[in-house]
Amino acid sequence: MQLNGWQKLGIALSIIWALAAGITTHYDDVERTDNFVQFAYKICSNVKMLDGDPDLSQCEKEKSANTETWMKNSGKNVAFAALAPIPFGWLAGFILLYIVRIQVAGIKATVPWSELTRPKKGFVIFCGASLVAGLLSVSVIIMNLYVGTQVPVALSPFVDVIKTGGDMVIVKGTWTRHGATAGAAMADPLQTSTINCYRPEKQCVEARASVTGNVLRSDVVQHDVQSWTDAAILIKNTDLCVEEVYTIDLNTKSVSGAGRRINSNTPFCKLSPLSKAESKWTYRMENGFSVYWEIRNKARPWLLGVIHSLFGH
């Protein structure tokens, strides 16, 4: 059978799509797997180090098991991404070509509805419904890409308070900030922190990473330990214009804090951006992924929200 130009173009585009989608999906699976495996391995090795155990064989076994688990269905993902859209692409191309012909020849001449048999009418209806579904799918993809530009990274789903003996506590999670006045918002919602508290030094060192727009920023903050008991650790951080106090509850494994402006009448603090903000606020360390998902939901267009709600998201 002799292929026309459109059919040859469709075959070429199908091959290009299969190769590009398959390779991209494979590398995405590898990247996601590597991120999780390295994160889990780091936690395992840190726990071993804190326990004074140099044997990392168990961590290596977990690493291999996690890699196998995460990559188990990668072949199916690659095959689906590479091959499943191709029939729909051909159908969409046929429909678009048909629409062009309709515009040129007129709909009555191209689709003589009264003269069509029932199977042909059903096929026309199917094509119309497929076109609407295709346009809707493309719209969802574009809207998701837009949301991705507004919320470019996800956050860790872990929030932990880890006791390592009696002299060290490790805290991991995402800070959420809530103002005492209406309209107050979190300063850097795409944020994650690790706090290491050392009882002998009476100090907690916090490593913060945050994303503002497309800019990644890291900070190290030192907190003074005010008190340390078997039930809780009270830490404090004070600068020229702000005073903040945090409580690490060792029983409930929760972390909260409160802050307020101080020295508001000094020239330096009057020039500070905080001078126009609320005078008091609170903090809470939470599951980072929940924060990320909430921000993503707020960033999505209303139409995407309606579509997600139909599927229970």
Side-chain angles (χ1 to χ4, degrees), residues 11 20 67-68 83 101 120 129 140 142 144 178 182 187 196 205 209 211 216 257 262 266 271 273 278 283 286 296 305:
I11 292 174
T67 301
E68 182 178 354
L83 302 178
R101 289 176 177 175
K120 290 184 178 180
V140 170
I142 293 174
N144 276 320
H178 311 272
N196 294 331
V205 180
V211 174
L216 174 64
I262 58 176
T266 61
L271 296 175
E278 66 275 7
Y283 290 105
E286 299 182 13
R296 186 177 176 87

Side-chain angles (χ1 to χ4, degrees), residues 56-302:
L56 298 179
S57 58
Q58 183 62 36
C59 297
E60 294 292 342
K61 290 181 181 178
E62 291 181 4
K63 182 178 180 179
S64 299
N66 287 332
T67 301
E68 182 178 354
T69 299
W70 277 71
M71 292 297 295
K72 182 179 180 180
N73 295 318
S74 179
K76 295 179 181 178
N77 294 339
V78 169
F80 182 82
L83 302 178
I86 290 177
F88 296 98
W90 277 89
L91 180 60
F94 170 78
I95 294 172
L96 290 175
L97 184 60
Y98 212 64
I99 289 174
V100 171
R101 289 176 177 175
I102 288 174
Q103 297 300 317
V104 173
I107 187 169
K108 290 185 178 181
T110 309
V111 187
W113 183 261
S114 60
E115 301 175 10
L116 296 178
T117 62
R118 285 188 176 182
K120 290 184 178 180
K121 288 180 179 179
F123 181 70
V124 171
I125 294 173
F126 172 74
C127 289
S130 299
L131 178 60
V132 172
L135 292 174
L136 186 61
S137 298
V138 171
S139 300
V140 170
I141 293 172
I142 293 174
M143 287 186 287
N144 276 320
L145 290 174
Y146 165 77
V147 174
T149 63
Q150 302 301 303
V151 191
V153 296
L155 299 175
S156 169
F158 299 101
V159 52
D160 292 312
V161 176
I162 305 169
K163 296 172 64 176
T164 58
D167 292 335
M168 185 175 179
V169 170
I170 300 174
V171 177
K172 295 177 181 289
T174 292
W175 287 116
T176 56
R177 183 178 184 275
H178 311 272
T181 58
M186 295 177 287
D188 289 306
L190 289 176
Q191 181 273 338
T192 186
S193 286
T194 298
I195 305 174
N196 294 331
C197 293
Y198 308 96
R199 190 168 191 171
E201 288 82 358
K202 295 183 178 180
Q203 193 173 69
C204 294
V205 180
E206 177 182 359
R208 295 179 182 174
S210 60
V211 174
T212 304
N214 290 320
V215 178
L216 174 64
R217 188 180 68 206
S218 61
D219 298 288
V220 176
V221 183
Q222 293 184 339
H223 307 278
D224 295 325
V225 174
Q226 301 297 298
S227 65
W228 188 314
T229 66
D230 292 337
I233 302 172
L234 181 67
I235 59 180
K236 187 176 182 180
N237 183 25
T238 305
D239 63 19
L240 290 175
C241 305
V242 173
E243 181 180 68
E244 296 176 329
V245 178
Y246 306 88
T247 301
I248 304 173
D249 193 313
L250 301 178
N251 293 326
T252 62
K253 294 189 175 181
S254 60
V255 186
S256 58
R260 65 187 182 95
R261 287 193 287 122
I262 58 176
N263 302 324
S264 301
N265 295 325
T266 61
F268 178 81
C269 293
K270 286 182 178 180
L271 296 175
S272 171
L274 290 172
S275 63
K276 298 179 180 179
E278 66 275 7
S279 59
K280 295 181 181 180
W281 54 89
T282 60
Y283 290 105
R284 185 172 181 82
M285 186 160 280
E286 299 182 13
N287 179 325
F289 185 81
S290 298
V291 176
Y292 156 78
W293 195 250
E294 181 181 351
I295 298 168
R296 186 177 176 87
N297 286 341
K298 290 180 180 179
R300 65 187 181 184
W302 69 270

